[in-house]
């Protein structure tokens, strides 16, 4: 038994990206943000995602420069880290998630916050010039903003696309109101797949 | 500096699930499918996902029985596997993704298909009675249906929620038309986060 469907992976990508470019209204986006948005749309199957995408003017350029300089990708969730395609990274960059570090649970209790927020303190100086990818927890994004405001090293760019019903909208609005270079999807939508797709698009322009 | 937001992880979950139950119309769903759907909505931030959820009557019960009997969770993508919360699994079940197995690329060339589809042949007899979770590639879902129709062992249930523009709609329709126990999200929406959320909800009723 066999079904009729496209079997060639490269051709599936080509057709998918062509369909997205035909259906999505990318006219209001700078070229580099549009290229990233196409891949985010690919990850969620919804061309209307474009209306919720917001960015600081230099975010894609800054994040690309950072990756080409060897900066790590710091992720709030294992799924985000798992979704970053290693062969797209220009310098075999480290992709780091400290959520399952043995120190994280104790630190969370001590700080009175979520494990996700506590895990970010284990990034230490690696935050300096890093590409931060937050695709799961609003608490992580809020806490990153607090850490930077309180003197932590500044990342090169923050891809802040947590998903959900409690704090997601507000945390992304707070990032967009900060002085960090940012890419967000406003509203409740987001998540690890869209976030990893954004990192993958920034890492390489290859479609 | 600090923002006003809920810091308590358990409370964030509680409020999130309460909001989803208040906003989503779950009245047309059996109780067990509704519980799974709440968690899928949580993973994508969209309460209207419910209108696209389709299922066979026994899918949640069958998948639960399988996990309690120690069946593995077979995943098409690393992100799906990364999203399965191990402590929710009743029997410390194996969570398997063979996409990065060293044999997969050669097998794909030999078979003239995608790596994702080829990887499934490495599941072998573990497919028998397994919970299959396909959250990325329509080709994987099509190929699974072909394998089973051609005599491969039958899984206990198929969570088939690939995302995208080429083949996603059609592959999910084909699964729903098959004689396998299935859970799908019709249309283009889907992906690894929603799929892993479905597995996590099936694995444990704890919210």
């Amino acid at each position: 038994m066999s079904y009729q469907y496209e079997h060639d992976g490269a051709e599936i990508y080509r057709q998918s990206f062509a369909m997205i470019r035909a259906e999505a209204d990318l006219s209001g986006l700078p070229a580099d943000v549009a290229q990233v948005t196409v891949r985010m749309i690919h990850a969620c199957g919804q061309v209307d995602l474009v209306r919720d995408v917001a960015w600081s003017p230099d975010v894609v350029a800054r994040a690309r420069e950072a990756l080409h300089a060897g900066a790590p990708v710091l992720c709030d969730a294992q799924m985000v880290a798992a979704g970053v395609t290693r062969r797209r990274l220009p310098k075999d960059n480290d992709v780091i998630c400290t959520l399952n570090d043995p120190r994280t649970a104790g630190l969370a209790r001590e700080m009175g916050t979520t494990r996700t927020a506590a895990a970010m303190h284990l990034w230490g100086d690696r935050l300096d010039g890093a590409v931060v990818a937050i695709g799961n927890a609003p608490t992580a994004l809020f806490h990153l903003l607090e850490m930077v405001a309180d003197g932590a090293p500044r990342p090169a760019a923050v891809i802040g696309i947590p998903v959900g019903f409690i704090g997601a909208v507000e945390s992304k609005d707070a990032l967009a109101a900060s002085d960090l270079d940012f890419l967000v999807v406003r509203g409740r939508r987001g998540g690890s797949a869209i976030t990893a797709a954004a990192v993958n698009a920034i890492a390489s322009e290859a479609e």
Side-chain angles (χ1 to χ4, degrees), chain A:
Chain A
M1 178 180 183
S2 71
Y3 294 89
Q4 288 297 318
Y5 59 98
E6 180 58 59
H7 288 64
D8 177 34
E11 182 60 20
I12 291 168
Y13 268 99
R14 199 195 61 72
Q15 290 181 19
S16 297
F17 284 85
M19 195 177 291
I20 293 166
R21 289 186 184 279
E23 288 188 27
D25 179 7
L26 302 166
S27 60
L29 281 60
D32 58 1
V33 175
Q35 179 242 333
V36 175
T37 299
V38 166
R39 211 169 184 95
M40 294 198 293
I41 289 171
H42 183 248
C44 69
Q46 298 185 291
V47 295
D48 75 343
L49 192 80
V50 65
R51 69 160 194 249
D52 293 334
V53 175
W55 63 89
S56 60
D58 296 330
V59 63
V60 176
R62 285 285 133 72
R64 264 189 190 139
E65 283 164 21
L67 293 180
H68 280 272
V73 181
L74 305 179
C75 308
D76 71 326
Q78 294 293 147
M79 280 191 84
V80 176
V84 175
T85 305
R86 300 309 195 266
R87 67 178 180 279
R88 297 181 67 91
L89 295 167
K91 297 285 181 184
D92 197 19
N93 308 63
D94 287 338
V95 179
I96 296 170
C97 175
T98 49
L99 189 59
N100 293 335
D101 186 286
R103 295 167 292 179
T104 297
L107 197 58
R109 278 192 298 275
E110 200 176 291
M111 298 172 61
T113 189
T114 61
R115 284 201 313 134
T116 308
M120 300 162 63
H121 285 267
L122 302 176
W123 294 346
D125 287 346
R126 300 219 62 184
L127 186 54
D128 192 9
V131 174
V132 176
I134 294 181
N136 186 46
T139 53
L141 185 47
F142 274 128
H143 194 61
L144 174 72
L145 296 173
E146 292 169 347
M147 286 166 62
V148 171
D150 290 347
R154 288 175 66 86
V158 181
I159 317 304
I161 315 181
V163 59
F165 295 84
I166 301 296
V169 171
E170 298 81 357
S171 68
K172 293 182 283 193
D173 288 349
L175 171 60
S178 79
D179 64 352
L180 292 167
D181 269 304
F182 71 91
L183 179 71
V184 303
V185 174
R186 291 196 192 265
R188 291 172 170 179
R189 276 192 291 194
S192 48
I194 298 173
T195 305
V199 173
N200 288 333
I202 288 166
S204 166
E205 293 181 65
E207 294 194 342

